[in-house]
Amino acid sequence: MTAPAVLSEAASVLCLLSIVVMPCAAAGLALINTGLGRSRNAAHAMLSALCVLGVAAVAYCAIGFSLQSYPGREAHALLVGGKPWDWMAAEPLFFRGVSFDMSPASLAALFGMFAAGLAAMIPLGSGADRWRLGAACASAALLSGLVYPLFAHWVWGGGWLAQLGAYYGLGRGFLDAGGSGAIQALGGLAALSIAWILGPRRGKYNNEHMPVAIPGHNAVLVLFGCLLAWIGWTGLNSAGALLFAGPPVRPPLVVANTTLAAICASLAAAAITRIRFGKPDASLCANGWVAGLVASSAACASVRPALAMSIGLVAGALVVFSVEWLEFRLTLDDPGGAVSVHALGGIWGILAAGLFSAAPGQWLAQFTGIATLLGFVLPLVYALNWLLDRVYPQRVPPQGERQGLDLHELGAGAYPEFMSHNDDLWQR
Amino acid sequence: MGRAGVPTALVGPPAFFGFIVPPEKAVQESRPTLSLMKPIALFLLPAGWIIVLAAVALMGSAAPRAAFALAGAAVQILGLCLLVRAHMPLHGDGQ
């Protein structure tokens, strides 16, 4: 979208209410990451989620919105082939240019603050059980203060990706109403970088590089997290559609598409795991549910419910095979499934928005967005985290990993009355 | 030997992308190759992106634009494959 949204008073109130619901998505992700990790790291996982959300919100407020902004406001542009490529906003720092008067720009600033937090939380899933709290916060500051706002400006701030339709006839420009790319795929690629930089958990792979199962410690947390995430995602997609999708926006359609995609993705994951393993797998069904939510975001305002269901079905199937492939073939230890769910699910959502659009050239606009994620976001996030790791080692020492991050970094466990694993007794 | 009597070199990650070499030789000889892989991969990813951008900005008609964009994507996929390979453990690397 290259022009600012025009919202009626009722639409503005609805948008604000939708934004207020968005933290439920963060709460859901925090519960999922905690449940899929080991019991000895549970308190650390929840505290990391809180701290990362806080750091991300502060970084976004301080710097992020000044790089992202909103269509129709000050920005820097490069002339390419006689056409201005808007690449970075020129807003004052600390939200000083935002009036917070229910205008679309002020709602976008609020939306961005929560969205940056959500994107920064995604890597916690892949770095679970071995990522230091301080390093996670520093990485979140880089992601939400620099990488997310830059890409979000290109997509939602009237940047060059949004202008592809107006200047080069590529459909309506890059379509990403709810953030399949700007939030989810970006966070998922950051998760991939973190998983690579940290390396696998101790004992995850044997000497022949075959993975050892380390099941999550609480399926109830994981599945309850899915329900919370669903509530949050309806708010995320509704607010995103109102602010960034352009008219006509139909919030009931957005909610229906979001819900149906999640349901179909989860059912697809349940069916595939039932066929392959004899019983449905709870953690893969939960991953499928979230992958459906993730994939639904890009096209939530522009497709009919039947297409949203097919987007969800593919996302659910994709996540089951991807989790296994990453773990077995690529030896990538991703305890929360963040790479499969958010990176692959997000990229599929972006692609589906192009494939299911009738606008000529829309697929190429979506394709350019994916190429930007892989060619700009991934190397940038990888390089920033690699440099951070050189300055401040991101992984806990081996004895801390064995002891558990709760005791090692916080000094107290999440479940002091219970011993869930035999090796929890080591080195206490 | 790996699972079900299959030689480890054929089931483990080094078989990926055709890197089937004796384990000891792989450890000794692949180190410099692997250390080069990461910077090359991190160069190929933005290079492919720039090809896609050039296709969008410079090509007028749909067919060459799509062809160049797909070529850019192919370069990116190559970069991604190299980056993945550079992060996989070699045979003989124990934990």
Side-chain angles (χ1 to χ4, degrees):
Chain A
M1 191 187 71
T2 53
V6 179
L7 298 180
S8 66
E9 197 172 326
S12 298
V13 171
L14 178 62
C15 186
L16 180 63
L17 290 176
S18 302
I19 292 170
V20 168
V21 174
M22 277 172 62
C24 288
L29 288 189
L31 286 178
I32 292 169
N33 289 340
T34 303
L36 288 175
R38 286 169 154 164
S39 60
R40 67 184 88 159
N41 307 316
H44 186 272
M46 286 305 285
L47 184 65
S48 295
L50 270 178
C51 291
V52 160
L53 271 176
V55 168
V58 170
Y60 185 81
C61 166
I63 308 165
F65 190 70
S66 65
L67 302 179
Q68 180 186 342
S69 190
Y70 194 68
R73 295 165 77 99
E74 287 289 309
H76 300 287
L78 290 172
L79 272 183
V80 179
K83 290 177 176 125
W85 280 47
D86 182 340
W87 67 281
M88 194 173 82
E91 286 272 329
L93 302 174
F94 289 101
F95 282 155
R96 276 185 292 124
V98 183
S99 54
F100 291 109
D101 56 355
M102 295 293 280
S103 63
S106 64
L107 291 169
L110 198 57
F111 175 91
M113 198 168 73
F114 289 124
L118 197 58
M121 272 186 65
I122 292 168
L124 289 175
S126 69
D129 297 351
R130 61 207 190 282
W131 200 9
R132 289 167 73 187
L133 180 59
C137 291
S139 177
L142 292 172
L143 191 77
S144 53
L146 181 66
V147 184
Y148 165 80
L150 211 51
F151 190 73
H153 174 70
W154 297 349
V155 178
W156 291 331
W160 63 270
L161 275 172
Q163 292 168 333
L164 288 176
Y167 291 156
Y168 299 102
L170 301 184
R172 296 166 57 197
F174 183 65
L175 278 184
D176 190 10
S180 282
I183 303 172
Q184 310 302 334
L186 183 140
L189 292 175
L192 179 62
S193 303
I194 289 298
W196 274 336
I197 287 167
L198 294 178
R201 289 170 288 179
R202 284 177 62 79
K204 177 65 190 174
Y205 291 96
N206 61 24
N207 284 336
E208 293 180 342
H209 308 302
M210 292 307 294
V212 174
I214 304 179
H217 85 281
N218 194 329
V220 178
L221 283 187
V222 175
L223 296 171
F224 181 62
C226 288
L227 295 177
L228 264 184
W230 168 47
I231 296 169
W233 240 274
T234 57
L236 170 72
N237 285 352
S238 302
L242 284 164
L243 287 168
F244 308 120
V249 174
R250 291 159 289 185
L253 176 70
V254 173
V255 174
N257 283 346
T258 308
T259 307
L260 288 169
I263 289 167
C264 288
S266 186
L267 289 178
I272 292 170
T273 51
R274 169 72 180 78
I275 292 165
R276 296 190 71 203
F277 310 129
K279 289 175 183 170
D281 183 284
S283 69
L284 283 174
C285 290
N287 276 339
W289 177 274
V290 183
L293 292 172
V294 165
S296 75
S297 291
C300 63
S302 56
V303 295
R304 301 296 306 168
L307 287 177
M309 289 164 73
S310 48
I311 290 172
L313 279 173
V314 174
L318 197 64
V319 86
V320 174
F321 292 109
S322 159
V323 162
E324 192 178 319
W325 192 66
L326 291 177
E327 184 171 321
F328 277 81
R329 297 300 302 172
L330 305 192
T331 56
L332 185 86
D333 186 17
D334 178 8
V339 178
S340 303
V341 170
H342 297 276
L344 286 179
I347 287 173
W348 160 240
I350 298 168
L351 201 59
L355 294 177
F356 296 140
S357 168
Q362 187 64 54
W363 76 270
L364 190 52
Q366 302 301 106
F367 192 80
T368 308
I370 295 169
T372 307
L373 282 164
L374 293 177
F376 175 79
V377 171
L378 178 60
L380 180 63
V381 171
Y382 185 89
L384 288 173
N385 279 300
W386 183 83
L387 284 174
L388 178 64
D389 193 46
R390 290 289 168 277
V391 178
Y392 183 69
Q394 302 212 37
R395 184 170 180 145
V396 289
Q399 73 271 18
E401 203 176 332
R402 193 182 299 124
Q403 189 181 31
L405 301 186
D406 284 0
L407 285 181
H408 182 74
E409 289 220 297
L410 309 182
Y415 312 105
E417 303 293 324
F418 302 96
M419 291 290 179
S420 303
H421 299 286
N422 291 336
D423 58 353
D424 273 352
L425 294 166
W426 292 357
Q427 305 254 332
R428 287 209 174 195
Chain B
M1 297 291 275
R3 284 178 306 173
V6 182
T8 308
L10 298 180
V11 297
F16 194 58
F17 304 131
F19 284 63
I20 303 173
V21 285
E24 304 78 22
K25 208 175 175 183
V27 174
Q28 288 161 9
E29 293 181 1
S30 294
R31 292 275 180 213
T33 317
L34 278 180
S35 64
L36 270 179
M37 248 185 221
K38 216 180 284 183
I40 291 172
L42 289 173
F43 167 76
L44 285 177
L45 286 170
W49 174 51
I50 288 167
I51 294 173
V52 174
L53 292 190
V56 169
L58 304 177
M59 300 282 164
S61 53
R65 186 184 261 181
F68 265 79
L70 289 174
V75 172
Q76 285 198 313
I77 288 169
L78 181 63
L80 198 57
C81 290
L82 281 180
L83 198 54
V84 166
R85 184 65 189 87
H87 285 92
M88 283 166 58
L90 294 172
H91 267 246
D93 281 354
Q95 285 202 18

